[in-house]
Amino acid sequence: MLKVGVIGATGYTGEELVKILASHKGIQVTSLTAKIDKAEKIQSIFPSLEGKIDMMCELPDEDMVAKASDFVFLALPHKISMEAAPRLLKAKKKVVDLSADYRLPADIYTKWYGAAHKDVDGLKHAVYGLPELNREKIKTASLIANPGCYPTSIILGLAPLFKEKIADPSLVIADSKSGVTGAGRRADMALSFGEVNESLKAYKINEHQHSPEISQELSKLAGSEVGLVFVPHLIPMNRGILSTIYIKLKRGIDTKEAVGLYKNFYKSEPFVKVLAEGQLPQIKDVRTTNFCYIGIKVDTEKGLAIIVSAIDNLTKGAAGQAVQNMNIMCGFKETEGLL
Amino acid sequence: MLKVGVIGATGYTGEELVKILASHKGIQVTSLTAKIDKAEKIQSIFPSLEGKIDMMCELPDEDMVAKASDFVFLALPHKISMEAAPRLLKAKKKVVDLSADYRLPADIYTKWYGAAHKDVDGLKHAVYGLPELNREKIKTASLIANPGCYPTSIILGLAPLFKEKIADPSLVIADSKSGVTGAGRRADMALSFGEVNESLKAYKINEHQHSPEISQELSKLAGSEVGLVFVPHLIPMNRGILSTIYIKLKRGIDTKEAVGLYKNFYKSEPFVKVLAEGQLPQIKDVRTTNFCYIGIKVDTEKGLAIIVSAIDNLTKGAAGQAVQNMNIMCGFKETEGLL
Amino acid sequence: MLKVGVIGATGYTGEELVKILASHKGIQVTSLTAKIDKAEKIQSIFPSLEGKIDMMCELPDEDMVAKASDFVFLALPHKISMEAAPRLLKAKKKVVDLSADYRLPADIYTKWYGAAHKDVDGLKHAVYGLPELNREKIKTASLIANPGCYPTSIILGLAPLFKEKIADPSLVIADSKSGVTGAGRRADMALSFGEVNESLKAYKINEHQHSPEISQELSKLAGSEVGLVFVPHLIPMNRGILSTIYIKLKRGIDTKEAVGLYKNFYKSEPFVKVLAEGQLPQIKDVRTTNFCYIGIKVDTEKGLAIIVSAIDNLTKGAAGQAVQNMNIMCGFKETEGLL
Amino acid sequence: MLKVGVIGATGYTGEELVKILASHKGIQVTSLTAKIDKAEKIQSIFPSLEGKIDMMCELPDEDMVAKASDFVFLALPHKISMEAAPRLLKAKKKVVDLSADYRLPADIYTKWYGAAHKDVDGLKHAVYGLPELNREKIKTASLIANPGCYPTSIILGLAPLFKEKIADPSLVIADSKSGVTGAGRRADMALSFGEVNESLKAYKINEHQHSPEISQELSKLAGSEVGLVFVPHLIPMNRGILSTIYIKLKRGIDTKEAVGLYKNFYKSEPFVKVLAEGQLPQIKDVRTTNFCYIGIKVDTEKGLAIIVSAIDNLTKGAAGQAVQNMNIMCGFKETEGLL
């Protein structure tokens, strides 16, 4: 049994992570910590975990976690993860970091997150944990930068077109709609029910901190710089991201060919489902699952592909994908704990 | 034109109050203040007021309000109102206080709100502003204690039975369900969308601060002490309170008689609608209106009346009723601005 | 591996049932049928089942189900179940019926459901499938009447008080709040988003078809006729029932004693959690789980207990409890598939 | 007092229309009809109208409406309006049709709505009722084709760029998000709370019946054929449309210039508000108002403008705009009844 610890267990992502880990047959959760007032049973903090796990959530104590665990998930805010990771890696633990701290080069990180990077060495070894694209590297990695929720939905939605050099990289428009848990579990009037319910808004156009991560990964796929326009929206629902993506095609394919291309590209993927021509995904298809559902429509007249990609932001967009990475790193069945 | 000021204009109640006042033909809004960082147009703070009013919301400044206005609404938290009211009253302004500060005797206030009362003199003159019961006193009052939202729904739901001495006062069970704006406009994780949506809870059983207000007013109606059990619930919707009330009857009447009794009791009331036998109210009937809808069913076998009472917590439960009180105090048509 | 069939697999309950069964280690789903236009993969009908099961949902065909399965769940509307069950029982299949058809004596059934009972013989052998009260009988039953969602929440909330003869049976007030899936998956304007969202209503006061089932089971526990007042409410959320129950006590116990009594009564139950004094359950604690959470407060002055009971209507209130019954009937671990 | 009738008063649009008309000082509602089972008070059908109007809603009877009214709103489904309008026009009534029947040439209408047009003569005289673009023609029109909800949000969002010949017409991407009332008031499982809540979907990509209307009006503004990609989405909220629009610019302007251009273009408009640089609209800004709020951001590097346009689908997107048209046609103040 692999001994697993979670640092930062009391956010929405932490809750989801503990729920998934509790049902995983190859591991044992051996430590949970969080910035809380006093140590408390995790199932008292999240009563929905009752019967699934019976364990204390302790105050932050990396040494304790390192001693108790062989594998550690960091469900921490950015800036904090890069302080915790180096010591765990030094102690030969494998680490999946769910924050943004290991996703970008130091200079770009500083530009978007407003802080100098404190673990440039770690950055060199970190692998971007999108299994559908980086599975081989993940297998041997000791530090995974688990992708952001928006990036996961957008990159999976575009990968086949860029890999096959069909998409024109000069302009990608990603219009994403996210549920509220994507913003974290915290007191904030802008996230209060009275402000969010019966409303809807676009925010941070081209200024969202996930933008450089999306650009970077798409550019790698395209082999050249991608021109990204990213517009996130806040939706009155708890969970889910639906990204509607618009991109010009360099050569004339129709919807049928595009669907075939996607089906082929993802044919061995356990968690990506490409819908048949004429079908489009909805959030309820993927809610609480680790799946990404993709629907495609090509406007042949305008040479434009419209891709609709749906995930659960807390599962495939965070905790589920983190466990998928652990499964790959540790030789478990990739779907273990996730179906 | 009556010159009207609002102190505390930036809560949900303040927003609703300004919206109603902006459409009132007999008054002019002459001052708005709130505890904000810097003075700002009220329609910038609440874009939904655009086109309805064009006016600055200033930082707190009672002297300015007193100078500019003849009539003042206090949409302040409790404990703060009782500091502002005395000076306004001294300056001969009429005041409607939407907080709890003038609803209870000093000793009971201290017990439930944890603070000594600072305006015992004002308390003596304050009139409880439930027009359906106290209209004559409201006409000549200079200080109105505007009722709480839960109390409004429960007292209106029970008044006919107590006034007619049909209800047994020994036990009143009020099971109330409220939308989230009832808790105010503020940053609080317990009010965040992710915590409230797709959930529901009872809270503060017999410990809610509206309990003594409900008991007090029902006891006045009954002519003897009423035994209240009050269980509020938080519901995933923005606006509205639905109270389901259970009370034993002292003499045998059936649903038809009860409905007749209620219809007669409220026959001249512009804002209370008693539904026909067999009908029950829902929140959408009263949302954004100043109405209270009441449905009644008598279980004759058990001698128990079940009364369902629905209001909008921000309108009849707060701002609408406050304007109704102003209308009565100032000789306007009682429905002015409210239909 | 036990071979299991589900008749009526395309309602909300059917979806939940298939989801649970797909993760159950002791069984194999061998047949799914529903009244649909044409046979279709169940994971196409409910994309959220993708990766969990890969199987056709066929048109209704009892013979096929009987041939393929040893154990059958009937997730059918009432009146239909009692036509299907006798033939399955005759073919020596074990059956859990999730409809109301086997919960009441024939005469009472006819009064509340408006139809003559077609399987009076089956009625005699049916066991009311509330494991916490009838576990021993369930073990040897071949036909289970799976309890309704409202009854489950109310009976579990009251059982300790009635068993211990502390509750006064003359008047039980159950004020229940349910999410919308409780009304089934169907086209009905009253269930449309525009009518339900931002609203709330009481309905069918003392006229809801679950009333006789609640009365019957509570009366059995009390040893005498119980006087039930049952007021269901429709809440704008998908899943969950919270019942707030009011009952007079025959002897003076306080909250602490009551909590102790409940904790003792349910001490061996895997799916009932009694909360500590001062705590109350909320729907999010039990959402998608098979748990019933119970909070208790005694108003000693009035000799009244207030019990708040929370379940997920589709899990403990339907599909989860049905599987719990199967586990008991077939000797599986009672929690298998349910944690 | 202008005598006004509403045919089709019992949909969501009809309810909103009656609510607005009831507060309009220049008119009197003299007839209401709808396809209902029996004549009934409109305030019994929509209790939220209580106190605002007291009037029967009759069964369909055009002659009665024509006799009672000088001005008629048709809040009917498409295909039905074009049967009712000719007779009313012949009787010299002024008509605002809220359906799609008079918005498109007959051949395009047939292609998108699947029916031959029955009033080709009426089509010739109908004026597209978007006051911000067609105010002069509306003044003298007798038949108004009231714009669709999606088209209103998109056309207002793009008009300044096309009028000023800054936008490149070859590709307009409109990603629109709509609340559920946009789909009408009817029994449909796809619109039920259980299906819509906690979900989100794109639908009818480039196949929505509002597409030709949007293309047609934008092409008129551009002076050449516009290449439209229109992707509507269904959002779990009752009211509101937010359209995020992406368009290439033909010459280099930045956000500041664009905002200035929009502010100038709409400077005299009572119901369009252009937000300051850096601000974006949200649905709660416009909910239940007749306003369109517009926020603009230019990505100068890519020469792309991103416009976010927010309206209430039932007010500016339907009933409010219909009354605005009536105000213009009949010489009332344009904002009468709408603030």
Side-chain angles (χ1 to χ4, degrees):
Chain A
M1 292 295 247
L2 183 72
K3 292 184 283 179
V4 173
V6 176
I7 300 183
T10 57
Y12 288 128
T13 298
E15 178 183 14
E16 193 66 23
L17 198 47
V18 175
K19 190 174 293 177
I20 295 170
L21 291 172
S23 78
H24 194 290
K25 287 179 219 135
I27 67 109
Q28 190 189 355
V29 180
T30 48
S31 60
L32 299 174
T33 67
K35 231 178 155 182
I36 45 182
D37 291 336
K38 58 173 187 50
E40 196 179 348
K41 288 274 176 99
I42 190 73
Q43 71 269 33
S44 298
I45 300 170
F46 296 120
S48 68
L49 295 175
E50 185 70 39
K52 299 188 175 71
I53 192 166
D54 178 8
M55 186 162 180
M56 293 300 290
C57 181
E58 308 285 349
L59 303 197
D61 179 347
E62 268 158 45
D63 289 343
M64 184 270 287
V65 175
K67 206 168 291 178
S69 317
D70 297 320
F71 195 105
V72 181
F73 291 96
L74 302 177
L76 293 168
H78 58 86
K79 298 184 193 171
I80 312 293
S81 273
M82 63 184 167
E83 296 183 356
R87 283 172 291 201
L88 291 163
L89 291 166
K90 210 171 172 183
K92 303 294 175 198
K93 311 301 169 187
K94 290 190 176 178
V95 174
V96 171
D97 174 31
L98 287 91
S99 87
D101 281 359
Y102 292 94
R103 298 178 194 156
L104 299 169
D107 54 339
I108 295 180
Y109 178 86
T110 300
K111 185 181 155 198
W112 285 85
Y113 290 89
H117 205 288
K118 294 180 180 165
D119 182 24
V120 177
D121 189 59
L123 264 185
K124 284 180 207 147
H125 302 97
V127 171
Y128 190 71
L130 197 59
E132 291 77 9
L133 299 179
N134 296 337
R135 188 171 283 112
E136 288 310 308
K137 285 187 189 162
I138 293 166
K139 282 181 183 169
T140 58
S142 54
L143 172 58
I144 294 291
N146 206 58
C149 49
Y150 284 123
T152 295
S153 74
I154 295 166
I155 298 164
L156 291 178
L158 284 169
L161 289 179
F162 277 124
K163 275 276 199 181
E164 303 298 328
K165 309 296 177 201
I166 292 170
D168 174 350
S170 65
L171 181 60
V172 172
I173 296 172
D175 186 296
S176 294
K177 297 92 177 164
S178 175
V180 184
T181 54
R185 186 164 172 263
R186 57 198 171 84
D188 180 344
M189 200 172 76
L191 301 179
S192 73
F193 191 89
E195 299 295 304
V196 172
N197 190 46
E198 281 296 288
S199 195
L200 163 63
K201 66 175 176 184
Y203 67 104
K204 289 190 187 175
I205 296 182
N206 281 353
E207 290 166 4
H208 191 281
Q209 66 276 11
H210 284 174
S211 295
E213 181 184 341
I214 302 167
S215 292
Q216 164 181 288
E217 299 303 316
L218 292 180
S219 297
K220 280 185 205 164
L221 286 163
S224 66
E225 190 70 17
V226 156
L228 175 71
V229 170
F230 174 45
V231 184
H233 297 76
L234 185 70
I235 303 290
M237 63 183 184
N238 283 7
R239 298 174 75 142
I241 287 179
L242 189 124
S243 291
T244 312
I245 310 166
Y246 306 88
I247 188 155
K248 285 268 190 181
L249 301 179
K250 290 194 291 191
R251 63 177 166 86
I253 60 170
D254 60 15
T255 302
K256 193 180 166 175
E257 287 171 278
V259 168
L261 179 83
Y262 272 69
K263 280 192 180 280
N264 187 56
F265 188 88
Y266 287 124
K267 67 174 179 291
S268 310
E269 288 302 330
F271 292 119
V272 179
K273 175 158 173 162
V274 178
L275 299 182
E277 199 182 339
Q279 294 191 335
L280 293 171
Q282 47 186 324
I283 290 300
K284 70 193 298 279
D285 297 344
V286 298
R287 200 180 187 278
T288 73
T289 83
N290 199 49
F291 275 88
C292 177
Y293 269 46
I294 300 174
I296 307 135
K297 168 124 184 175
V298 177
D299 181 328
T300 49
E301 211 179 303
K302 302 185 196 76
L304 189 91
I306 300 130
I307 301 112
V308 183
S309 161
I311 62 168
D312 183 306
N313 60 305
L314 294 179
T315 321
K316 184 63 177 169
Q321 185 145 270
V323 172
Q324 189 180 356
N325 278 313
M326 178 190 75
N327 287 343
I328 296 169
M329 294 162 82
C330 300
F332 298 119
K333 195 179 172 198
E334 192 166 330
T335 57
E336 175 54 37
L338 295 169
L339 285 178
Chain B
M1 292 294 249
L2 182 73
K3 292 183 283 180
V4 173
V6 176
I7 299 183
T10 58
Y12 288 128
T13 298
E15 178 184 15
E16 193 66 23
L17 198 48
V18 174
K19 191 175 293 178
I20 295 170
L21 292 172
S23 79
H24 193 291
K25 287 178 218 134
I27 66 107
Q28 190 189 355
V29 180
T30 48
S31 60
L32 300 174
T33 67
K35 231 179 155 182
I36 44 182
D37 291 336
K38 58 173 188 48
E40 196 179 348
K41 287 275 177 97
I42 190 73
Q43 72 269 33
S44 298
I45 299 170
F46 296 121
S48 68
L49 295 174
E50 185 70 38
K52 299 186 174 72
I53 192 167
D54 178 8
M55 187 163 179
M56 293 301 289
C57 180
E58 307 285 350
L59 303 197
D61 180 346
E62 269 159 45
D63 290 344
M64 184 271 286
V65 176
K67 207 169 289 179
S69 318
D70 298 320
F71 195 106
V72 181
F73 291 96
L74 301 178
L76 293 168
H78 59 84
K79 299 185 193 168
I80 312 293
S81 273
M82 64 184 168
E83 296 184 357
R87 284 172 290 203
L88 291 163
L89 291 166
K90 209 168 171 186
K92 303 294 175 198
K93 310 302 168 185
K94 290 189 176 177
V95 174
V96 171
D97 174 32
L98 287 91
S99 88
D101 281 359
Y102 291 95
R103 297 178 194 157
L104 299 169
D107 54 340
I108 295 179
Y109 179 85
T110 301
K111 185 181 154 199
W112 286 84
Y113 289 89
H117 205 287
K118 294 180 180 165
D119 183 23
V120 177
D121 189 60
L123 265 185
K124 284 181 207 147
H125 302 96
V127 171
Y128 191 71
L130 198 59
E132 290 76 9
L133 300 179
N134 296 338
R135 188 171 284 110
E136 287 310 309
K137 284 186 190 163
I138 294 166
K139 281 181 183 168
T140 57
S142 55
L143 172 58
I144 294 289
N146 206 59
C149 48
Y150 284 124
T152 296
S153 73
I154 295 166
I155 299 165
L156 290 178
L158 285 170
L161 288 180
F162 277 125
K163 274 275 199 180
E164 303 298 327
K165 309 295 176 202
I166 293 169
D168 175 349
S170 65
L171 182 60
V172 172
I173 296 172
D175 186 297
S176 294
K177 296 93 179 164
S178 175
V180 185
T181 55
R185 187 166 171 263
R186 56 200 170 84
D188 179 346
M189 200 172 76
L191 301 180
S192 73
F193 191 88
E195 299 295 305
V196 172
N197 191 46
E198 281 297 288
S199 196
L200 163 63
K201 65 174 176 185
Y203 66 103
K204 289 191 188 175
I205 295 182
N206 280 355
E207 291 167 3
H208 192 282
Q209 67 278 9
H210 283 173
S211 295
E213 180 184 343
I214 301 167
S215 292
Q216 164 181 290
E217 299 302 317
L218 291 180
S219 297
K220 280 185 205 163
L221 286 164
S224 66
E225 190 71 15
V226 156
L228 175 71
V229 170
F230 174 45
V231 184
H233 297 76
L234 185 70
I235 303 290
M237 62 183 185
N238 282 8
R239 300 174 74 142
I241 286 180
L242 189 124
S243 291
T244 312
I245 310 166
Y246 305 88
I247 189 156
K248 286 267 190 182
L249 301 179
K250 291 194 290 190
R251 65 176 165 85
I253 60 170
D254 61 13
T255 302
K256 194 179 166 177
E257 287 169 277
V259 168
L261 179 84
Y262 273 69
K263 279 193 180 280
N264 188 55
F265 188 88
Y266 287 124
K267 66 175 181 288
S268 310
E269 288 302 329
F271 291 119
V272 179
K273 175 159 174 161
V274 177
L275 299 182
E277 199 182 341
Q279 293 192 336
L280 294 171
Q282 46 186 325
I283 291 300
K284 70 193 299 278
D285 297 345
V286 298
R287 200 181 187 277
T288 73
T289 83
N290 199 49
F291 275 88
C292 177
Y293 269 47
I294 300 174
I296 306 134
K297 168 125 184 173
V298 177
D299 182 327
T300 48
E301 211 181 302
K302 303 187 194 72
L304 188 92
I306 300 130
I307 301 111
V308 183
S309 161
I311 62 168
D312 183 307
N313 60 305
L314 294 179
T315 321
K316 184 63 177 171
Q321 186 145 269
V323 172
Q324 189 180 355
N325 278 313
M326 179 190 75
N327 288 343
I328 296 169
M329 293 162 83
C330 300
F332 297 119
K333 195 180 172 198
E334 192 166 331
T335 57
E336 175 55 36
L338 295 169
L339 286 179
Chain C
M1 292 295 250
L2 181 73
K3 291 184 283 178
V4 173
V6 177
I7 300 183
T10 58
Y12 288 127
T13 298
E15 178 184 15
E16 193 66 23
L17 198 48
V18 175
K19 189 174 293 178
I20 295 170
L21 292 172
S23 78
H24 194 291
K25 287 177 218 135
I27 67 108
Q28 191 188 356
V29 181
T30 48
S31 59
L32 300 174
T33 67
K35 231 178 155 183
I36 44 182
D37 291 335
K38 59 173 188 47
E40 197 178 349
K41 287 275 177 98
I42 190 73
Q43 72 268 34
S44 298
I45 300 170
F46 295 121
S48 68
L49 295 175
E50 185 70 37
K52 299 186 175 72
I53 193 167
D54 178 9
M55 187 162 180
M56 292 301 289
C57 181
E58 308 284 351
L59 303 198
D61 179 348
E62 268 159 44
D63 289 344
M64 185 271 285
V65 175
K67 206 169 292 179
S69 316
D70 298 320
F71 196 105
V72 181
F73 291 95
L74 302 177
L76 293 167
H78 59 86
K79 298 184 194 171
I80 313 292
S81 272
M82 63 184 168
E83 297 184 356
R87 283 172 291 200
L88 292 163
L89 290 167
K90 210 170 172 182
K92 303 294 175 197
K93 310 301 170 186
K94 291 190 177 178
V95 174
V96 171
D97 174 31
L98 287 91
S99 87
D101 281 359
Y102 292 94
R103 298 178 193 157
L104 300 169
D107 53 340
I108 296 180
Y109 179 85
T110 301
K111 185 179 156 201
W112 285 84
Y113 289 89
H117 205 287
K118 294 181 181 165
D119 182 24
V120 177
D121 189 58
L123 265 184
K124 284 180 207 148
H125 301 97
V127 172
Y128 190 70
L130 198 59
E132 291 76 8
L133 299 179
N134 297 338
R135 189 171 282 112
E136 288 311 307
K137 284 187 190 162
I138 293 166
K139 282 181 182 169
T140 58
S142 55
L143 172 58
I144 293 290
N146 206 58
C149 48
Y150 284 124
T152 295
S153 74
I154 295 166
I155 298 165
L156 290 178
L158 285 170
L161 288 179
F162 277 125
K163 275 275 198 181
E164 303 298 327
K165 309 296 177 202
I166 293 169
D168 174 351
S170 65
L171 181 60
V172 171
I173 296 172
D175 186 296
S176 294
K177 297 92 179 164
S178 175
V180 184
T181 55
R185 186 163 171 263
R186 56 199 171 83
D188 180 344
M189 200 172 77
L191 301 180
S192 73
F193 191 90
E195 299 295 305
V196 172
N197 190 46
E198 281 298 287
S199 195
L200 163 62
K201 66 174 176 184
Y203 66 104
K204 289 191 187 174
I205 295 182
N206 281 352
E207 291 167 2
H208 192 281
Q209 67 277 11
H210 283 174
S211 295
E213 181 184 342
I214 302 167
S215 292
Q216 164 180 289
E217 299 302 317
L218 292 180
S219 298
K220 279 184 206 163
L221 286 164
S224 66
E225 189 71 16
V226 156
L228 175 71
V229 171
F230 174 45
V231 184
H233 297 75
L234 186 69
I235 303 289
M237 62 182 184
N238 282 7
R239 300 174 73 141
I241 286 180
L242 189 124
S243 291
T244 312
I245 311 166
Y246 306 88
I247 188 156
K248 285 268 190 182
L249 300 180
K250 291 195 289 191
R251 64 176 164 86
I253 59 170
D254 61 14
T255 302
K256 194 180 165 175
E257 287 170 277
V259 167
L261 178 84
Y262 272 68
K263 279 192 181 280
N264 188 55
F265 189 88
Y266 287 124
K267 66 174 180 289
S268 310
E269 287 304 329
F271 290 119
V272 179
K273 175 158 173 161
V274 178
L275 299 182
E277 199 182 340
Q279 293 192 336
L280 293 171
Q282 47 186 323
I283 291 300
K284 72 193 296 279
D285 298 344
V286 297
R287 199 179 187 280
T288 74
T289 84
N290 199 49
F291 275 88
C292 177
Y293 269 47
I294 299 174
I296 307 133
K297 168 124 185 175
V298 177
D299 182 328
T300 48
E301 210 180 304
K302 303 187 194 73
L304 188 92
I306 300 129
I307 301 110
V308 183
S309 161
I311 62 168
D312 184 307
N313 59 306
L314 295 178
T315 321
K316 183 64 177 168
Q321 186 145 267
V323 172
Q324 189 180 355
N325 279 313
M326 178 190 75
N327 287 343
I328 296 169
M329 294 162 81
C330 300
F332 297 119
K333 195 179 171 199
E334 192 166 330
T335 57
E336 175 54 37
L338 295 169
L339 285 178
Chain D
M1 292 295 250
L2 182 72
K3 291 184 283 179
V4 173
V6 177
I7 299 183
T10 59
Y12 288 127
T13 298
E15 178 184 14
E16 193 66 24
L17 198 48
V18 175
K19 189 175 294 179
I20 295 170
L21 291 172
S23 78
H24 194 290
K25 287 178 218 133
I27 67 107
Q28 191 189 356
V29 181
T30 48
S31 59
L32 300 174
T33 67
K35 232 179 154 182
I36 45 182
D37 291 335
K38 58 172 188 47
E40 196 179 349
K41 288 275 176 97
I42 189 73
Q43 72 268 33
S44 298
I45 300 170
F46 296 120
S48 68
L49 295 174
E50 186 69 38
K52 298 186 174 72
I53 192 167
D54 178 9
M55 186 163 180
M56 292 301 289
C57 180
E58 308 284 350
L59 303 197
D61 179 348
E62 269 159 44
D63 289 343
M64 185 271 285
V65 176
K67 207 169 289 176
S69 318
D70 298 320
F71 196 104
V72 180
F73 291 95
L74 301 177
L76 293 167
H78 59 86
K79 298 184 194 170
I80 312 293
S81 272
M82 64 184 167
E83 297 184 357
R87 284 171 289 202
L88 291 163
L89 291 166
K90 210 169 171 185
K92 302 294 175 198
K93 310 301 168 185
K94 290 189 177 178
V95 174
V96 171
D97 174 32
L98 286 92
S99 87
D101 282 359
Y102 291 94
R103 298 177 193 157
L104 299 169
D107 54 340
I108 295 180
Y109 179 85
T110 300
K111 185 180 154 199
W112 285 85
Y113 290 88
H117 206 288
K118 294 181 181 165
D119 182 24
V120 178
D121 190 59
L123 265 185
K124 283 180 209 151
H125 301 97
V127 171
Y128 190 71
L130 197 60
E132 291 76 8
L133 299 179
N134 297 338
R135 188 170 282 111
E136 287 312 307
K137 284 187 190 163
I138 293 166
K139 282 182 182 168
T140 57
S142 55
L143 172 58
I144 293 291
N146 207 59
C149 48
Y150 284 123
T152 296
S153 73
I154 295 166
I155 299 165
L156 291 177
L158 284 169
L161 288 179
F162 277 125
K163 274 277 198 179
E164 302 298 328
K165 308 298 177 201
I166 293 169
D168 174 350
S170 65
L171 180 61
V172 172
I173 296 172
D175 186 296
S176 294
K177 296 93 179 164
S178 175
V180 185
T181 55
R185 186 164 171 263
R186 57 199 172 82
D188 180 344
M189 200 173 75
L191 300 180
S192 73
F193 191 89
E195 299 296 304
V196 172
N197 190 47
E198 281 297 288
S199 196
L200 162 62
K201 67 174 176 184
Y203 66 104
K204 289 192 188 174
I205 295 182
N206 281 353
E207 290 166 4
H208 191 281
Q209 67 277 10
H210 283 174
S211 295
E213 180 184 342
I214 301 167
S215 292
Q216 165 181 289
E217 299 302 317
L218 292 180
S219 298
K220 279 185 206 163
L221 286 163
S224 66
E225 190 70 17
V226 156
L228 175 71
V229 171
F230 174 45
V231 184
H233 298 76
L234 186 69
I235 303 288
M237 62 182 185
N238 282 8
R239 300 174 72 141
I241 286 179
L242 188 124
S243 292
T244 313
I245 311 166
Y246 305 88
I247 189 155
K248 286 268 190 180
L249 300 180
K250 290 195 290 190
R251 63 176 165 85
I253 61 170
D254 60 14
T255 302
K256 193 179 167 176
E257 288 171 277
V259 168
L261 179 84
Y262 273 69
K263 280 193 180 280
N264 188 56
F265 188 89
Y266 287 124
K267 66 175 181 288
S268 310
E269 287 304 329
F271 291 119
V272 179
K273 174 157 174 162
V274 178
L275 299 182
E277 199 182 340
Q279 293 192 336
L280 293 171
Q282 47 186 325
I283 291 300
K284 70 193 300 275
D285 297 344
V286 297
R287 200 180 187 279
T288 74
T289 84
N290 199 50
F291 274 87
C292 177
Y293 269 48
I294 300 174
I296 306 134
K297 168 124 184 174
V298 177
D299 181 328
T300 49
E301 210 179 304
K302 304 188 194 71
L304 188 92
I306 300 130
I307 302 111
V308 183
S309 161
I311 62 167
D312 183 306
N313 60 305
L314 294 179
T315 320
K316 184 63 177 170
Q321 186 145 269
V323 172
Q324 188 180 356
N325 278 314
M326 178 190 76
N327 287 343
I328 297 169
M329 293 162 82
C330 300
F332 297 120
K333 195 180 173 199
E334 192 166 330
T335 57
E336 175 55 36
L338 295 169
L339 286 179

